[in-house]
Amino acid sequence: MRISTAQMFNQTSSSVLKHQSNTNDILGQISSGKKVSTAGDAPVAAIAIDNLKQQSTQAEQYISNIDMATGRLSVTESTLGSIENVVQSMRDKMLQGVNGSLSDLDRQALTDELRVSLDQLVNLANTKDSAGNSIFSGFNTDVTPFAFDSMGNINYSGDVGVRETFIAPNRTLATNITGDSVFMNVPNAMGDYSATYDAAQQGSFSVKSAQISDSATHISGQYQYEFIDNGSGGLDLDVTDSFGTVTRMSQVDTTQPITLNGLTVQLEGTPVAGDTVTLNPNTNANLFDSLSDMITLLETGEGVNSPSGQAEFTQLLNNIDSGQGLLALGRSQAGNDLNALDKAKDVHIDTQLINTSALSLLEDVDIASAITEYEKQQLSLNAVSQLFGEVNSVSLFDYL
């Protein structure tokens, strides 16, 4: 077969250029540490690499979200713990306040201390996170959620907004607890109604519970219960509703539940003829108001030690206990959410580790193999170049 000089030159040049290209590619892999730099290097592997990188980027964003949520919830959980301690300390002092042997000076000192604690409690409820956002104000993070009004009552300026953060695909988690849910909407320990006692009360009794037992027959509104001597050693009961209608119940057994208009009332203790108590609809008890009312009650020793004062004290103390239960529930919720965040973060970290390992297998070059391949290509390039030089130098005149 006859091979022309031009054909031989082109074939040899192409071979040299091919070996040079292969050598440069391997040098590039060794330099970058990557065997797949573009989709052209390995199309199927490039698609897999792109998917893995997207998953890792997404996991990194979720981890960032989780870190921010963890910071907010950690402040919330810690603050609720401090609030629980303050409320418990106030409760202990309130129990001291019913000691009849306290002097007026001692009682005043005790109530002054309680008011300082109440101010401390409000300050804790207005705690802000590291970004300057109020943690208990819902969506209105730029407001101070709790403040005293001109009447000495606490007003809530936040809202009921719960901020959700994505911590995984199609999964969100609340990153805040609203102030109304842990301070303002404390379940009334009595049930659906609260009691107001007459200062002239003589019997040692209180309302243990007042609950709607039959919503179909219940008529909401104010009810006044008046105990009357029936002349035979027992008590009758006149119940006056908000329309002024009086219903008499004869020979009532005050140790048993009293039901009228779908409202069931359970007394604790023994009333006497002439005692009255007024019930008003109230399913929630503001924790701050309960504490403030208790302090006001304790300021007058005679008031708290009277039958009506003792009954009011019991009601307020039960509502404070209910408030403590709600605080504990809120703190437990924050703790559970923090645990959920930790677990979600661990999953994303594991995902990143797996993806990193898979990426390494797909795109990282084996340096030892690459160097060996480089030496082979270099050897081939040198051989082709040398052969081309020798063949190119051959001339017919050398044999003449």
Side-chain angles (χ1 to χ4, degrees):
M1 179 178 177
R2 182 166 167 252
I3 301 175
S4 67
T5 301
Q7 183 180 4
M8 179 190 69
F9 183 86
N10 288 335
Q11 289 179 345
T12 306
S13 298
S14 296
S15 179
V16 171
L17 292 174
K18 177 181 178 182
H19 285 295
Q20 285 180 337
S21 177
N22 291 340
T23 301
N24 291 335
D25 288 344
I26 296 173
L27 280 175
Q29 292 179 7
I30 295 174
S31 175
S32 66
K34 305 294 181 183
K35 61 183 177 183
V36 180
S37 299
T38 65
D41 295 334
V44 175
I47 293 174
I49 289 170
D50 185 57
N51 289 336
L52 288 172
K53 287 182 176 180
Q54 288 183 9
Q55 292 177 14
S56 295
T57 300
Q58 189 178 55
E60 185 64 34
Q61 182 59 58
Y62 286 134
I63 290 174
S64 177
N65 292 349
I66 289 170
D67 287 341
M68 293 180 64
T70 298
R72 287 195 292 265
L73 282 174
S74 294
V75 174
T76 300
E77 194 273 338
S78 176
T79 302
L80 286 175
S82 299
I83 289 172
E84 283 187 294
N85 292 335
V86 173
V87 173
Q88 182 59 47
S89 175
M90 293 179 71
R91 186 185 187 279
D92 293 340
K93 289 182 173 65
M94 288 168 181
L95 290 175
Q96 297 175 18
V98 296
N99 188 340
S101 64
L102 288 180
S103 66
D104 290 342
L105 188 61
D106 292 336
R107 193 177 307 281
Q108 186 61 54
L110 180 65
T111 54
D112 287 345
E113 188 175 351
L114 285 170
R115 291 199 181 279
V116 171
S117 296
L118 182 59
D119 288 338
Q120 180 186 2
L121 190 63
V122 173
N123 288 333
L124 285 170
N126 289 328
T127 296
K128 297 182 179 182
D129 61 20
S130 59
N133 298 319
S134 297
I135 62 175
F136 293 118
S137 60
F139 290 145
N140 293 339
T141 57
D142 58 342
V143 304
T144 300
F146 298 98
F148 290 99
D149 62 18
S150 59
M151 301 298 293
N153 298 317
I154 287 289
N155 290 328
Y156 178 59
S157 300
D159 58 27
V160 298
V162 177
R163 288 171 283 168
E164 301 279 346
T165 294
F166 276 97
I167 62 172
N170 302 317
R171 184 186 177 191
T172 61
L173 191 72
T175 62
N176 71 306
I177 296 176
T178 60
D180 69 308
S181 67
V182 288
F183 300 111
M184 310 302 287
N185 295 330
V186 177
N188 181 7
M190 282 177 50
D192 300 307
Y193 279 72
S194 60
T196 302
Y197 299 92
D198 185 6
Q201 176 180 321
Q202 296 299 312
S204 297
F205 80 97
S206 62
V207 179
K208 183 178 181 180
S209 65
Q211 298 179 324
I212 299 172
S213 54
D214 186 353
S215 59
T217 61
H218 177 63
I219 301 175
S220 182
Q222 184 183 85
Y223 288 88
Q224 185 183 67
Y225 290 66
E226 181 179 1
F227 297 93
I228 301 170
D229 187 349
N230 61 12
S232 59
L235 290 174
D236 290 345
L237 176 63
D238 281 351
V239 181
T240 305
D241 63 22
S242 57
F243 302 102
T245 303
V246 179
T247 302
R248 173 156 292 192
M249 305 177 70
S250 301
Q251 200 63 35
V252 294
D253 182 357
T254 57
T255 64
Q256 298 300 315
I258 301 170
T259 301
L260 179 67
N261 291 344
L263 176 64
T264 298
V265 176
Q266 178 67 62
L267 302 180
E268 192 170 51
T270 306
V272 299
D275 287 344
T276 63
V277 60
T278 301
L279 301 181
N280 288 287
N282 185 14
T283 57
N284 294 323
N286 181 328
L287 178 59
F288 295 111
D289 286 347
S290 295
L291 293 169
S292 182
D293 290 345
M294 180 71 88
I295 295 172
T296 301
L297 179 64
L298 291 173
E299 282 181 325
T300 56
E302 294 180 359
V304 74
N305 290 310
S306 66
S308 62
Q310 291 174 356
E312 184 180 356
F313 180 89
T314 299
Q315 177 177 262
L316 290 171
L317 190 65
N318 288 339
N319 283 338
I320 291 170
D321 291 343
S322 181
Q324 286 183 295
L326 195 61
L327 287 172
L329 184 64
R331 188 179 183 187
S332 176
Q333 176 186 335
N336 290 335
D337 287 343
L338 284 170
N339 289 334
L341 289 173
D342 287 340
K343 292 178 181 179
K345 183 175 181 178
D346 288 341
V347 170
H348 293 311
I349 291 175
D350 290 342
T351 298
Q352 285 185 315
L353 290 174
I354 294 172
N355 287 349
T356 299
S357 178
L359 278 171
S360 179
L361 292 175
L362 288 171
E363 68 176 356
D364 288 351
V365 69
D366 183 343
I367 298 298
S369 298
I371 292 176
T372 300
E373 183 64 23
Y374 171 75
E375 294 294 340
K376 288 169 58 179
Q377 292 293 335
Q378 189 69 27
L379 181 63
S380 298
L381 176 62
N382 291 336
V384 170
S385 299
Q386 184 177 359
L387 178 62
F388 177 68
E390 290 180 357
V391 171
N392 192 46
S393 65
V394 173
S395 172
L396 179 62
F397 294 103
D398 293 336
Y399 298 94
L400 295 176

